[in-house]
Amino acid sequence: MRLRQWAGLLLLSLVATAVLALLAVPAALLLGPMFAGIAAAARGWDIGVSRWLAIAAQAVIGCLIAGNMAGALAPMLAEHWLLFALLTLATVGASGLLGYLLSRWGVVPGTVAIWGSMPGGATAMVLLAEANGADARLVAVMVYTRVVAVTLTASALSVLLGAQALPPHGAAAVADGPVWLMPVVAIAGVAGAVLLRWRSGTLIVTMALGAAAMLAGAPPVRVPMPLLVLAFATTGWRIGLSFTGEARATAARMLPRILLAALLLIGFCGGLAALLHFALGIDPLTAWLAASPGGLESV
């Protein structure tokens, strides 16, 4: 019975991911399996993802994030560190304040409001929320609602400004790295988290080790696509399969308020982007993407 359920989940995941990819939805590799997991949970399927498999997926995603830091990271930080610091403080400060107010007013339960309001990598926020005891299902609803809103806004802005698509040079740089480095960094990240008695911090430890290795002169960390697909699918299934009827009902009730909160945060970050444009001469689209509270996937 479970084998048939896993086969059905895999088929649903492939279909959902393909549809989202055709629609150019950010993070389709994670959202497709997550939606498939929600559908499986709604049908009462008795399957789940083990904790150790989820930890391994965190390590792989940590390698991916570290690999995307390749290139001129150190020189860029050295030249513009004050701008980056101020922009980060403003965005995180506004996000944190919004999360606090949502929690204080009872709009969103508990620490879900804090994690769900944080900008940055949407996948990373969901994993960190789960690792720190927040309801990852509701956090996923919050962050990916915001990602969709940010993506639509950026797309509309691109059309209005007549922006032209460029080759993904950053992705090519990551792909040039050796394959053998990824398992070394991933295993070191898991081992480091275990030694620190912080298994929930596997993502952060792995990401930090990978970034430190590159800053020390190592080549970019390259994650093979099949392994990346499996890591995102594992994460999506773990979240989706835990969507019980009560969780689905809560998410549906929260959605209008979550969307309103996302639009408020987008408006604030739009103000920051305007400031970057008029004060520093940065082009509007670059300024918006730099200040936007969307996920790493959409930016």
Side-chain angles (χ1 to χ4, degrees):
M1 176 63 76
R2 287 193 175 184
L3 185 59
R4 288 198 304 177
Q5 290 179 353
W6 274 111
L9 178 63
L10 180 59
L11 180 60
L12 285 173
S13 301
L14 290 173
V15 172
T17 302
V19 171
L20 293 174
L22 286 173
L23 296 174
V25 175
L29 290 177
L30 182 137
L31 291 179
M34 188 178 81
F35 290 149
I38 293 173
R43 293 181 63 87
W45 291 1
D46 185 24
I47 51 178
V49 176
S50 72
R51 179 169 177 77
W52 277 107
L53 192 57
I55 288 174
Q58 283 193 45
V60 172
I61 295 172
C63 288
L64 171 69
I65 297 173
N68 278 297
M69 295 179 179
L73 177 63
M76 184 73 73
L77 286 175
E79 184 179 357
H80 301 291
W81 67 270
L82 182 58
L83 174 63
F84 291 161
L86 292 175
L87 187 60
T88 300
L89 286 174
T91 306
V92 173
S95 302
L97 177 61
L98 179 62
Y100 171 77
L101 293 176
L102 290 175
S103 177
R104 182 70 181 270
W105 294 338
V107 176
V108 180
T111 55
V112 169
I114 304 297
W115 289 107
S117 299
M118 284 293 106
T123 305
M125 288 301 106
V126 173
L127 290 172
L128 290 173
E130 181 186 33
N132 287 276
D135 190 330
R137 302 165 299 187
L138 300 183
V139 172
V141 172
M142 286 192 69
V143 296
Y144 284 108
T145 297
R146 188 175 68 247
V147 164
V148 170
V150 168
T151 303
L152 292 175
T153 305
S155 299
L157 188 60
S158 298
V159 172
L160 290 174
L161 298 175
Q164 299 296 317
L166 297 175
H169 298 298
V174 174
D176 287 340
V179 177
W180 61 264
L181 186 59
M182 193 283 300
V184 172
V185 173
I187 292 171
V190 174
V194 170
L195 288 174
L196 292 171
R197 296 182 179 179
W198 190 31
R199 293 178 186 175
S200 60
T202 301
L203 177 78
I204 295 177
V205 174
T206 306
M207 181 177 65
L209 289 176
M214 287 188 295
L215 289 175
V221 181
R222 175 187 174 189
V223 181
M225 182 54 73
L227 194 58
L228 183 60
V229 170
L230 181 59
F232 275 123
T234 299
T235 304
W237 288 335
R238 184 172 175 83
I239 297 168
L241 289 169
S242 63
F243 257 92
T244 61
E246 181 182 355
R248 292 193 300 274
T250 302
R253 288 196 304 270
M254 285 171 45
L255 193 56
R257 292 170 286 179
I258 289 173
L259 184 57
L260 177 60
L263 293 176
L264 288 174
L265 190 56
I266 288 172
F268 173 80
C269 292
L272 286 180
L275 183 63
L276 290 175
H277 172 61
F278 291 111
L280 301 176
I282 299 173
D283 71 90
L285 186 58
T286 298
W288 163 245
L289 291 175
S292 73
L296 192 66
E297 303 92 339
S298 58
V299 172

